[in-house]
């Protein structure tokens, strides 16, 4: 009998085109997502060598990083951003790659639209020149970010050279407490394993707290695998997964659906499969979390206080804490709930889906954004925006004083016009609190959509559970 | 891609942990459709104050202006997949980065651009960091063929490297060209997959 295999091993084994003596494999790539920032040099490489795209129909492009989230009737004002988006359109036309253009209602953040369209399916290999490609692992697909040279390689050959990563399993036992969300859970995981904890591994998330999550919550978890150092995160496909995919535009139909479903159900890790690393968390210990520093591992429960550098486990960490505190303009010992915010950003590939917006609406309904705060909500795609408007969420947001915007990556990484000014502090539902990430000198605190909404209303970091809903 | 065989150059110290790709090159410098000219954005926030004036960053000091090697802290290159990070390093003349660990995507991207990332135990890094802090005297010779780093005092350390990546770097090989030679294997894979999982080709 064959060895029990993990979900990762099964996907890997079924995609090996060729294996070299040293173990390096040529891996087949089923789906390739493309955006405007990491692709121009790849298409240029193809053009210079006179090569074509091997499977344009297995590729989908969308502009997301540079697109304006204000009125789009005027196009893109910034010249460099406009050139990058236009270049993507021209390249797609020249090489026959399908594209959702900026004014297509299906346009949105690349990692939101893949699942939304049903392009993301269990058992697939999916790549994109973007580290948050790990999002698609929520469906039990092996999905990871690549650099531009690899984008060119996939466009030309539909394959990639890869070495087999190690298997890591993170099990979260028990149900999540009320008021604690998928975002809190993934922040807790990163806080536990550290930003390099998953380096060299593919993480499979398991346990009741993970199984209980909706697909959207699972995407939030897998999305931030990269913040834990892992290129890919995986969750075994189950009824929740299959129910989510059914009926979406690119989902298999008719007899193909039956065949696909049977295959998907064979993918979960076998009983007794071995993992190189195991981490176990108990869901009932997790509280709503926020980050205080400039690394996603700098997490604390909202009831906590800013740490003292002298409490660090080693000198390197103490130096890093000092640097973070200086950058963040924070004093050790300050209660997190006493930290006032200037801006609130709700959106991104981590938390820009419809359920995230519903969470925000639940907190915002009948309340007002604090006078001292500017709060923006950027839906993850045109279809998320449409859905939110059909449910009347936009009215709740506007009445509460939130700015309701057009879809895109926006202030998650500040490549378009949406950014923090130096010294401004932001409660953000995005994925990275690095120095300058949301604009030079900007200060980011990562948290869940509900917690960001609570910060918008109170004007400072606060515990959403204390706002009666 | 330029080959990497042997490099003798000044090593500059960057003793920080978790240097992320936003720190290596901020997103606003990514709005380019070229691979060149990116050194302008390299370590921008570490190099400039908020008014854009120079901040005496290590690579701007006379002793390190010609540096082609960087000695770095744990988890260097974490964060985004932007290949602009190695492009910016390369544009500034950096051909080798030595540290206790690297983020996976950054590590991979270096190899695609003729930059050699070397992983060594923390104790070795501490020594190299100390040496690098001595300035222009801290010249190292990195020999990829023999997998050795030689210091100014004749001390020698060996390092491990993935054989396939070493081969590509030593010969400056373009992956795409090589893979296209395997078109028959790729065709055959697709035919088999199409028979088993036709929905992937619908």
């Amino acid at each position: 009998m064959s060895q029990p295999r993990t979900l990762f091993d099964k996907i890997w084994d079924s995609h090996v085109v060729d294996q070299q003596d040293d173990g390096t494999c040529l891996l087949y790539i089923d789906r390739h997502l493309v955006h405007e920032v990491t692709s121009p040099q790849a298409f240029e490489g193809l053009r210079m060598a006179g090569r074509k795209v091997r499977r344009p129909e297995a590729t989908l492009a969308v502009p997301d990083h540079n697109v304006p989230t204000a009125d789009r009737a005027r196009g893109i004002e910034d010249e460099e951003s406009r050139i990058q988006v236009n270049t993507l359109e021209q390249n797609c036309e020249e090489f026959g790659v399908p594209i959702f253009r900026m004014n297509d209602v299906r346009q949105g953040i690349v990692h939101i639209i893949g699942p939304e369209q049903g392009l993301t399916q269990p058992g697939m290999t999916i790549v994109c020149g973007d580290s948050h490609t790990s999002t698609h692992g929520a469906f039990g697909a092996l999905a990871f970010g690549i650099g531009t040279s690899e984008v060119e390689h996939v466009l030309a050959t539909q394959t990639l050279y890869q070495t087999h990563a190690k298997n890591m399993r993170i099990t979260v036992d028990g149900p999540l407490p009320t008021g604690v969300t998928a975002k809190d859970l993934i922040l807790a995981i990163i806080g536990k394993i550290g930003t390099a904890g998953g380096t060299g591994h593919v993480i499979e998330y398991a346990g009741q707290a993970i199984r209980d999550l909706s697909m959207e919550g699972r995407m939030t978890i897998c999305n931030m695998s990269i913040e834990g150092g892992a290129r890919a995160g995986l969750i075994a496909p189950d009824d929740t997964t299959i129910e989510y995919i059914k009926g979406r535009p690119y989902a298999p139909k008719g007899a193909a659906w039956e065949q696909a479903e049977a295959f998907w159900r064979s993918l979960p890790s076998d009983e007794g499969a071995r993992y190189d690393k195991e981490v176990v968390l108990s869901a009932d210990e997790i509280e709503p979390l926020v980050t205080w520093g400039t690394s996603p591992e700098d997490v604390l429960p909202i009831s906590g206080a800013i740490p003292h550098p002298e409490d660090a486990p080693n000198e390197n960490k103490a130096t890093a804490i000092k640097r973070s505190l200086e950058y963040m303009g924070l004093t050790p010992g300050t209660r997190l709930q006493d930290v006032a915010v200037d801006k609130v950003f709700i959106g991104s590939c981590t938390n820009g889906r419809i359920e995230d917006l519903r969470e925000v609406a639940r907190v915002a309904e009948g309340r007002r954004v604090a006078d001292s705060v500017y709060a923006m909500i950027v839906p993850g795609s045109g279809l998320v925006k449409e859905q939110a408007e059909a449910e009347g969420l936009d009215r709740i947001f506007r009445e509460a004083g939130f700015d309701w915007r057009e879809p895109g990556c926006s202030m998650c990484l500040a490549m378009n016009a949406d950014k923090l000014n130096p010294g401004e502090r932001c409660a953000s539902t995005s994925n990275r609190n690095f120095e300058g990430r949301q604009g030079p000198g900007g200060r980011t605190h990562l948290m869940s959509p509900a917690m960001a909404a609570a910060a918008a209303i109170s004007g400072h970091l606060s515990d959403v559970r204390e706002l009666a809903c | 891609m330029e080959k990497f065989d042997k490099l003798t150059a000044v090593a500059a110290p960057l003793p920080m942990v978790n240097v992320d790709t936003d720190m290596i090159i901020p997103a606003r410098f990514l709005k380019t459709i070229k691979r060149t000219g990116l050194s302008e954005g390299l370590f921008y926030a570490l190099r400039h104050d908020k008014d854009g004036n120079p901040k005496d960053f290590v690579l701007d000091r006379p002793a390190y202006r010609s540096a082609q090697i960087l000695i770095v802290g744990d988890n260097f290159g974490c964060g985004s997949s932007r290949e602009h990070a190695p492009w910016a390093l390369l544009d500034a003349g950096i051909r080798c980065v030595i540290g206790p660990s690297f983020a996976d995507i950054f590590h991979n991207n270096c190899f695609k651009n003729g930059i050699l990332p070397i992983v060594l135990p923390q104790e070795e890094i501490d020594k190299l960091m100390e040496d690098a802090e001595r300035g222009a005297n801290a010249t190292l010779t990195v020999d990829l063929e023999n997998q050795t780093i030689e210091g100014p005092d004749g001390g020698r350390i060996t390092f491990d490297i993935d054989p396939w990546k070493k081969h590509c770097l030593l010969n400056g090989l373009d992956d795409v060209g090589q893979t296209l030679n395997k078109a028959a294997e790729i065709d055959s894979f697709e035919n088999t997959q199409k028979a088993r999982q036709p929905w992937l080709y619908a």
Side-chain angles (χ1 to χ4, degrees):
Chain A
M1 219 179 92
S2 60
Q3 287 274 333
R5 292 183 300 165
T6 63
L7 166 59
F8 167 49
D9 294 336
K10 291 183 192 183
I11 303 175
W12 178 276
D13 293 348
S14 65
H15 286 85
V16 175
V17 174
D18 189 36
Q19 180 159 2
Q20 294 170 185
D21 295 342
D22 69 349
T24 304
C25 288
L26 188 64
L27 209 63
Y28 193 77
I29 303 302
D30 296 319
R31 290 289 179 268
H32 187 190
L33 303 167
V34 173
H35 66 65
E36 79 278 18
V37 182
T38 56
S39 68
Q41 297 87 350
F43 282 112
E44 180 64 12
L46 293 184
R47 198 176 292 119
M48 307 258 286
R51 290 167 180 154
K52 56 186 185 58
V53 175
R54 184 180 171 94
R55 277 188 72 195
E57 73 283 6
T59 315
L60 177 67
V62 69
D64 56 4
H65 286 55
N66 280 277
V67 300
T69 60
D71 179 17
R72 288 183 178 166
R74 282 172 296 151
I76 304 176
E77 272 176 39
D78 180 85
E79 192 187 356
E80 288 179 298
S81 291
R82 190 172 62 242
I83 292 173
Q84 219 168 38
V85 171
N86 289 346
T87 303
L88 179 69
E89 293 185 353
Q90 287 157 9
N91 283 331
C92 287
E93 201 158 309
E94 182 182 338
F95 289 92
V97 170
I99 178 172
F100 291 172
R101 290 171 194 258
M102 190 170 83
N103 291 321
D104 189 320
V105 70
R106 298 169 300 173
Q107 180 270 343
I109 306 172
V110 66
H111 308 307
I112 302 267
I113 68 170
E116 188 172 79
Q117 291 295 323
L119 270 168
T120 302
Q121 297 165 19
M124 281 181 168
T125 49
I126 303 175
V127 297
C128 173
D130 193 289
S131 59
H132 289 109
T133 309
S134 57
T135 312
H136 308 266
F139 291 79
L142 177 61
F144 53 91
I146 57 178
T148 300
S149 296
E150 292 181 313
V151 169
E152 184 179 338
H153 195 277
V154 177
L155 287 172
T157 70
Q158 208 61 39
T159 64
L160 266 185
Y161 284 102
Q162 292 289 302
T163 43
H164 194 288
K166 291 185 181 144
N167 278 289
M168 175 170 179
R169 181 166 60 184
I170 297 181
T171 307
V172 190
D173 289 328
L176 279 180
T178 312
V180 178
T181 66
K183 184 63 165 286
D184 301 302
L185 176 48
I186 187 62
L187 286 173
I189 289 171
I190 297 163
K192 184 171 172 99
I193 68 172
T195 55
T199 303
H201 293 78
V202 165
I203 301 176
E204 181 177 341
Y205 300 95
Q208 187 190 344
I210 300 289
R211 281 196 306 275
D212 285 352
L213 290 172
S214 67
M215 281 319 294
E216 301 204 352
R218 294 179 187 185
M219 285 188 252
T220 301
I221 299 286
C222 288
N223 171 274
M224 288 188 74
S225 299
I226 186 70
E227 274 64 51
R231 281 177 81 179
L234 284 168
I235 295 173
D238 59 8
D239 291 345
T240 307
T241 322
I242 287 161
E243 209 42 54
Y244 180 95
I245 299 170
K246 201 167 196 170
R248 292 186 182 262
Y250 290 82
K253 309 267 180 320
W257 170 266
E258 308 293 322
Q259 204 180 354
E261 185 182 341
F263 172 71
W264 297 341
R265 291 199 186 273
S266 74
L267 288 167
S269 296
D270 298 329
E271 189 77 32
R274 270 200 57 256
Y275 293 85
D276 302 284
K277 205 168 172 179
E278 293 252 23
V279 174
V280 180
L281 279 83
S282 183
D284 60 9
E285 290 168 9
I286 300 170
E287 283 185 60
L289 297 171
V290 297
T291 63
W292 56 267
T294 55
S295 169
E297 68 185 22
D298 297 338
V299 297
L300 280 173
I302 184 63
S303 56
I306 306 296
H308 291 267
E310 51 267 34
D311 296 339
N314 57 56
E315 203 184 322
N316 271 344
K317 191 65 197 163
T319 312
I321 293 179
K322 261 187 241 165
R323 186 186 162 88
S324 288
L325 291 181
E326 195 176 316
Y327 181 85
M328 293 295 289
L330 293 169
T331 315
T334 309
R335 278 171 10 115
L336 283 169
Q337 302 197 47
D338 292 336
V339 175
V341 300
D342 305 299
K343 285 187 173 161
V344 171
F345 171 67
I346 292 164
S348 84
C349 57
T350 313
N351 284 123
R353 286 170 286 266
I354 190 66
E355 289 177 12
D356 299 314
L357 302 187
R358 288 180 190 139
E359 286 274 314
V360 173
R362 255 193 294 278
V363 177
E365 188 156 27
R367 297 197 170 93
R368 286 288 306 169
V369 170
D371 289 341
S372 55
V373 173
Y374 165 76
M376 68 194 298
I377 304 179
V378 181
S381 72
L383 292 173
V384 169
K385 180 167 191 259
E386 228 177 45
Q387 177 67 27
E389 290 176 352
E391 294 177 20
L393 305 185
D394 59 319
R395 192 181 39 76
I396 296 173
F397 298 147
R398 287 202 179 96
E399 281 173 10
F402 286 90
D403 191 3
W404 175 240
R405 315 277 294 190
E406 296 294 326
C409 300
S410 180
M411 208 162 68
C412 172
L413 86 170
M415 272 192 80
N416 70 352
D418 310 334
K419 49 179 67 106
L420 296 180
N421 294 314
E424 275 183 337
R425 188 179 300 285
C426 181
S428 178
T429 67
S430 55
N431 41 58
R432 290 187 178 136
N433 51 352
F434 297 158
E435 290 180 24
R437 172 79 178 180
Q438 295 192 289
R443 295 160 171 167
T444 304
H445 295 273
L446 302 175
M447 63 196 74
S448 73
M451 288 284 285
I457 284 150
S458 64
H460 51 84
L461 303 182
S462 29
D463 189 337
V464 66
R465 296 171 302 181
E466 287 167 15
L467 277 176
C469 280
Chain B
M1 178 177 94
E2 205 179 326
K3 290 180 187 178
F4 188 108
D5 41 25
K6 203 171 191 179
L7 172 72
T8 300
V10 171
L14 192 62
M16 292 167 67
V17 295
N18 297 329
V19 170
D20 57 71
T21 51
D22 279 81
M23 214 180 264
I24 299 174
I25 184 162
R28 64 186 181 284
F29 294 99
L30 271 45
K31 297 183 192 182
T32 172
I33 54 170
K34 301 200 179 93
R35 289 171 195 252
T36 50
L38 284 153
S39 58
E40 189 203 339
L42 181 66
F43 296 121
Y44 192 88
L46 296 174
R47 281 181 118 134
H48 302 89
D49 65 19
K50 61 179 176 10
D51 304 315
N53 300 312
K55 269 204 316 203
D56 193 36
F57 181 65
V58 62
L59 293 176
D60 296 323
R61 290 179 211 148
Y64 299 105
R65 272 190 199 141
S66 63
Q68 290 190 278
I69 302 170
L70 269 186
I71 314 293
V72 301
D74 217 7
N75 199 29
F76 187 84
C78 59
S80 113
S81 67
R82 60 189 70 165
E83 201 160 315
H84 308 69
W87 292 339
L89 288 167
L90 194 63
D91 199 48
I94 304 294
R95 294 295 310 279
C96 178
V97 192
I98 309 176
S101 72
F102 294 94
D104 289 332
I105 306 178
F106 174 81
H107 188 252
N108 219 24
N109 284 341
C110 282
F111 285 101
K112 307 288 179 193
N113 291 282
I115 297 175
L116 171 61
I118 300 177
V119 179
L120 289 175
Q122 187 68 51
E123 315 82 83
E124 301 279 14
I125 295 298
D126 292 343
K127 272 187 259 169
L128 288 172
M129 195 70 83
E130 224 170 87
D131 284 348
E133 276 161 0
R134 279 186 286 160
N137 294 327
T139 297
L140 298 179
T141 297
V142 178
D143 181 340
L144 177 56
E145 178 67 52
N146 294 306
Q147 298 178 212
T148 58
I149 303 170
E150 223 169 291
D153 53 0
R156 177 185 283 213
I157 343 177
T158 58
F159 60 87
D160 286 332
I161 183 168
D162 177 279
W164 168 248
K165 289 186 168 130
K166 175 180 172 179
H167 170 74
C168 291
L169 208 49
L170 275 174
N171 297 290
L173 293 180
D174 161 21
D175 282 355
V176 179
Q178 296 184 80
T179 308
L180 286 172
N181 290 334
K182 299 195 173 172
E185 284 97 325
I186 302 172
D187 287 342
S188 138
F189 177 92
E190 284 177 345
N191 290 333
T192 311
Q193 193 190 42
K194 198 172 179 175
R196 284 186 191 153
Q197 293 167 257
W199 66 90
L200 293 176
Y201 292 80

